[in-house]
Amino acid sequence: MILVTIDIFDITNIDATINFIKINKPDLVIHAAAYTDVDGCESNIDQAYRVNALGARNIAVGCNYTDAAMVYISTDYVFDGQKGNSYTEFDATNPLSVYGKSKLEGENFVKRICDRHYIVRTSWLFGKNGRNFITTMLKLAETRDEISVVDDQVGSPTYTLDLAKAISQLIAKPTYGTFHITNSDYCSWYQFAKEIFEIAGKSKIRVNRISTEELNRPAPRPKYSVLNNYCWHLQGYDKIRSYKEALREYISTII
Ligand SMILES: NC(=O)c1ccc[n+]([C@@H]2O[C@H](COP(=O)([O-])OP(=O)(O)OC[C@H]3O[C@@H](n4cnc5c(N)ncnc54)[C@H](OP(=O)(O)O)[C@@H]3O)[C@@H](O)[C@H]2O)c1
């Protein structure tokens, strides 16, 4: 297995991307790199499409040259959140933000260029390495006794460990196509924050509900973007555990 970062090659450089894939001849490439600053994408539109759409195209072209299979990590933000129910892989997409639109164009390039692809849409990731909502909440709790969190965006928090396990199951078989992979159950960011503080033994922190409008961020976000792991289920795989159990396990590793 070769782990690659932007220091090795930049996915927006098509020559460097293809060369790297040609030299290393992988059986499969897991493409997780992206411009993920959802609000930043609204003001850096070119960079969003350059990285999230054309970057995915470049990897797909490299995979196509070398006959490698490809996993593209995508997002619940390809949906508008208006359905009022969880989204299956067969629901129509309608991204609201530049981030969601550029990730969807990445999906489209991958579908068109690389026959042997798995598009894995996931949501609200937390896990080892890097910052996430949980580490942000716990950090804020060190200096504050009151935190305001939005209560009108609902999704499925997903532990990267469970996502990685699911991807390893998926790629063991040629079940190419689009899959929604999240932990089971769902919550609002507010409910998630409350659960985090409870598990971390910090339930004294007062969490205030606020609306998306009050938070006033540049990028529009779907109100209800819960993903239904429908193809995963149809394919006969076991239900992925609740985010609540995964959250307990993750928090026990960091505090
Ligand atoms: N986090 C979530 O809740 C979530 C939800 C759904 C889907 N996803 C998807 O999951 C994947 C991983 O997300 P994440 O949250 O782990 O994001 P992240 O922490 O921002 O990681 C993205 C990585 O991509 C790298 N990158 C950016 N531009 C690049 C370029 N031009 N060439 C090579 N590498 C580049 C970044 O490098 P630098 O650090 O040097 O910029 C960073 O290491 C992304 O595809 C994202 O769209 C995330």
Side-chain angles (χ1 to χ4, degrees):
M1 183 167 64
I2 311 173
L3 298 174
V4 185
T5 66
I6 196 167
D7 302 329
I8 312 282
F9 72 88
D10 184 326
I11 61 166
T12 64
N13 181 330
I14 188 160
D15 297 323
T17 303
I18 292 174
N19 279 343
F20 187 86
I21 296 175
K22 273 187 172 171
I23 289 166
N24 291 286
K25 294 186 182 60
D27 298 314
L28 175 130
V29 173
I30 300 178
H31 172 37
Y35 179 33
T36 57
D37 177 351
V38 176
D39 291 316
C41 284
E42 295 296 312
S43 46
N44 295 297
I45 298 173
D46 289 357
Q47 185 65 358
Y49 280 96
R50 193 178 290 121
V51 176
N52 296 343
L54 301 191
R57 177 205 61 190
N58 296 346
I59 305 261
V61 169
C63 290
N64 191 41
Y65 268 138
T66 55
D67 205 23
M70 176 172 179
V71 176
Y72 174 65
I73 310 296
S74 192
T75 169
D76 54 328
Y77 282 18
V78 298
F79 295 110
D80 62 17
Q82 297 296 315
K83 184 183 173 192
N85 207 333
S86 60
Y87 287 95
T88 78
E89 294 83 349
F90 303 108
D91 282 317
T93 52
N94 184 30
L96 303 173
S97 61
V98 172
Y99 169 73
K101 288 174 186 169
S102 60
K103 290 290 293 183
L104 181 61
E105 291 308 328
E107 288 190 10
N108 290 335
F109 274 123
V110 172
K111 281 182 196 163
R112 285 199 295 266
I113 297 167
C114 183
D115 289 339
R116 297 194 300 124
H117 65 258
Y118 307 83
I119 290 169
V120 174
R121 294 189 188 130
T122 189
S123 60
W124 296 27
L125 292 178
F126 63 90
K128 199 177 160 189
N129 300 323
R131 286 186 306 125
N132 57 56
F133 183 75
I134 300 162
T135 53
T136 302
M137 285 297 116
L138 293 177
K139 186 89 191 144
L140 286 174
E142 286 172 13
T143 52
R144 296 194 201 173
D145 49 20
E146 199 172 340
I147 296 172
S148 297
V149 183
V150 289
D151 194 29
D152 58 357
Q153 291 171 34
V154 173
S156 293
T158 299
Y159 190 13
T160 51
L161 184 69
D162 292 334
L163 175 64
K165 283 180 186 167
I167 291 173
S168 71
Q169 279 182 267
L170 268 190
I171 62 177
K173 292 183 183 173
T175 53
Y176 307 119
T178 301
F179 288 85
H180 290 176
I181 305 283
T182 64
N183 279 115
S184 306
D185 297 329
Y186 55 86
C187 58
S188 69
W189 289 113
Y190 163 82
Q191 289 165 331
F192 195 34
K194 295 277 286 179
E195 284 164 352
I196 292 163
F197 292 135
E198 198 180 305
I199 293 170
K202 294 181 185 295
S203 33
K204 278 191 188 150
I205 304 287
R206 178 149 21 126
V207 186
N208 302 316
R209 292 185 166 94
I210 56 165
S211 67
T212 301
E213 265 184 6
E214 282 173 275
L215 192 63
N216 196 22
R217 303 291 289 271
R221 288 161 167 82
K223 288 281 168 74
Y224 190 97
S225 59
V226 178
L227 299 178
N228 177 345
N229 298 346
Y230 189 52
C231 287
W232 174 263
H233 160 73
L234 292 182
Q235 209 64 62
Y237 294 113
D238 289 342
K239 188 174 175 182
I240 301 175
R241 65 179 167 167
S242 167
Y243 80 83
K244 296 179 187 193
E245 189 186 331
L247 178 64
R248 282 188 183 282
E249 185 178 304
Y250 171 65
I251 289 182
S252 74
T253 68
I254 59 168
I255 58 173

